[in-house]
Every structure is written in C-alpha cells, then in structure tokens.
Amino acid sequence: MSTLPSTAAVKSPGESYLHVLHALMLRDMRTRFGASLWGYGVVVLWPCVHVFLLIAIYTFQKLPAPLGDNRALFFASGAVPVLVFQYISREVMKAVISNRPLTYYPQVKLFDVIFARILVEIVTGFLALLVIIAVLVSIGANPVPADPFVAMCAYLSAILLGIGIGTINVAIIGFFPGWLLGYALLSIILYISSGVMFLPSYMPDKIYSWMKYNPVLQLAEWMRSAYYPYARIEIDYLYVLMFALISVSIGLYLVKHIVAKMSA
C-alpha cells in the first residue's frame, strides 16, 4: 500500500500563503478589537464619529458649508480620503511593533504581517464608508457623487498613498522607535492643512500654491471635485499618483532590504 499523502491533503504554496495571511488577519483583529464583533464595530464607527462631530460643530454654530448647501456632504467628501490615508499609514506602522514576535516563525515573513494589516485596514475603512453613506442617506443628503469614477479614483489613491507612507514609517520606526509619536504629531499637521474643514482653493494664491505640495490636501480636493464639478477645483493627478507610487516603491524596498535584515 502506498504511504504517499492524498492530493487533497497537500497544499500548494499559494494555498499555504493564503492560510497564513488569513490566520494573521484573524489574529490581528482579535488582539486589537477583542474576540467580539462589538470591539470591531467600535473601530469601524470611530472615523464616522469623527466626521459627524465636525458636522455637529458647524451645525450648532450655524456656519454655512464653504461649498454647496449641505454641511454633511462637504465635510464627509473631504474627510473620507484623508482619514483613509491616515488610518492605513498609521496602523501599518504599528503592525510591525505589535506583531514582530510572529516573524520568528519560518512561515511568517515581515511583509506578511504588513500585508495582513493593510487588508484589515482596507476592509475596516470600507465598512466605515458604508456607515457614513447610510447616515448621509438617513439625514436626507445624497451621497452619490456627480462623477462616481473620479470619487473612486480619489478613494483608491488615498489607499495607495496610505500604504506607501505606512511602509516608509515601518522603516523609520525600525531605526527610531520614537517616530510613533512623531508621526502622530505630523498627522495632526497634515489633517489641519488638508482642507477638511475649509476650501483650500479660496486661500490666497501664494499660500495655496505651497499648500498643494501636500498630497493629502489634493486627495481631499480630488474627492470634492467628484461632488462639486462646477467648483472647477484643479488637482495635479500626476503629482498625487507619482507621490503615492514612489512612496510604495521606497517603502517596500526599505522593508525588504533593511528592516527585514534587522529583524533576522
């Protein structure tokens, strides 16, 4: 009788990798959010609370929306891409800190830990987006952009930029652990200057020309251009995409050739 294992019991390298990735994602969600769905639900709702807190403040003070006649839509259209970028770039950096012991197992590579966290954050951000859309509909706002393709491109670009800056953060924190606090402060500056609470194009030209070097600001304007095409907001699409792609390339190179060797 043959003692070879059956074909069904033998896993291909691809299946083995997916199994490891699935296990990393489940572990990541359970350790960060708890074993129940309530913990994960709080994380999904947190960016939503952030958006609607801005809306509540402006509504209470009876301040008009800088563009259009709907405060909720104005703030949501600017805040969504900015928050997507910030959450991914921050949580990818923290993934290596919290899951570094897992890389001692031969089946788990440093990139696997990072990739699992990226997938978790993409899913979490998308669920938060669905909640925001549902709330906008419930209060009578129309969340469907005038140009859905432009909105989708802005959202995907925010994810790409978040991945790029997040992987660069992984390399930086490998040398300077204090960068976790440093990036938190930088994130606040990027958020304030990104135009979530105001319309940057209304600023004086000399100031606005410098502000546009902030790719996060252009992400917010990119998304708003999908909702307010009549505003004729000018976005340097090539600058944003090249910034994101170069960041991803640099980040992955540093992770593969420097951070991975430091962890070995």
Side-chain angles (χ1 to χ4, degrees), residues 26-164:
L26 288 179
R27 182 189 182 279
D28 196 13
M29 295 175 67
R30 288 173 180 171
T31 54
R32 291 169 60 202
F33 314 134
S36 68
L37 290 175
W38 293 105
Y40 185 65
V42 170
V43 176
V44 170
L45 292 175
W46 185 245
C48 306
V49 173
H50 179 105
V51 173
F52 294 115
L53 182 60
L54 287 176
I55 298 171
I57 292 173
Y58 269 68
T59 302
F60 179 76
Q61 295 182 346
K62 298 181 179 179
L63 297 174
L67 191 63
D69 56 359
N70 192 300
R71 299 184 188 93
L73 195 59
F74 176 83
F75 290 120
S77 61
V80 165
V82 175
L83 292 176
V84 166
F85 158 77
Q86 287 195 327
Y87 273 77
I88 293 178
S89 61
R90 183 186 64 203
E91 295 302 328
V92 167
M93 173 177 58
K94 293 165 62 177
V96 177
I97 299 174
S98 57
N99 294 311
R100 188 179 293 275
L102 294 178
T103 59
Y104 298 147
Y105 294 97
Q107 301 93 336
V108 180
K109 307 300 181 185
L110 183 63
F111 178 77
D112 300 337
V113 172
I114 295 173
F115 189 41
R117 177 63 63 91
I118 289 173
L119 293 178
V120 170
E121 289 305 314
I122 289 176
V123 172
T124 303
F126 183 72
L127 292 176
L129 175 62
L130 294 180
V131 173
I132 291 174
I133 290 174
V135 174
L136 288 175
V137 171
S138 67
I139 62 177
N142 180 13
V144 179
D147 193 333
F149 179 75
V150 171
M152 180 186 67
C153 290
Y155 188 84
L156 294 178
S157 298
I159 292 175
L160 186 64
L161 183 62
I163 294 172

Side-chain angles (χ1 to χ4, degrees), residues 219-234:
L219 286 174
E221 291 198 313
W222 192 344
M223 181 65 77
R224 284 207 177 111
S225 68
Y227 284 88
Y228 308 101
Y230 57 85
R232 297 183 179 179
I233 302 173
E234 295 183 0

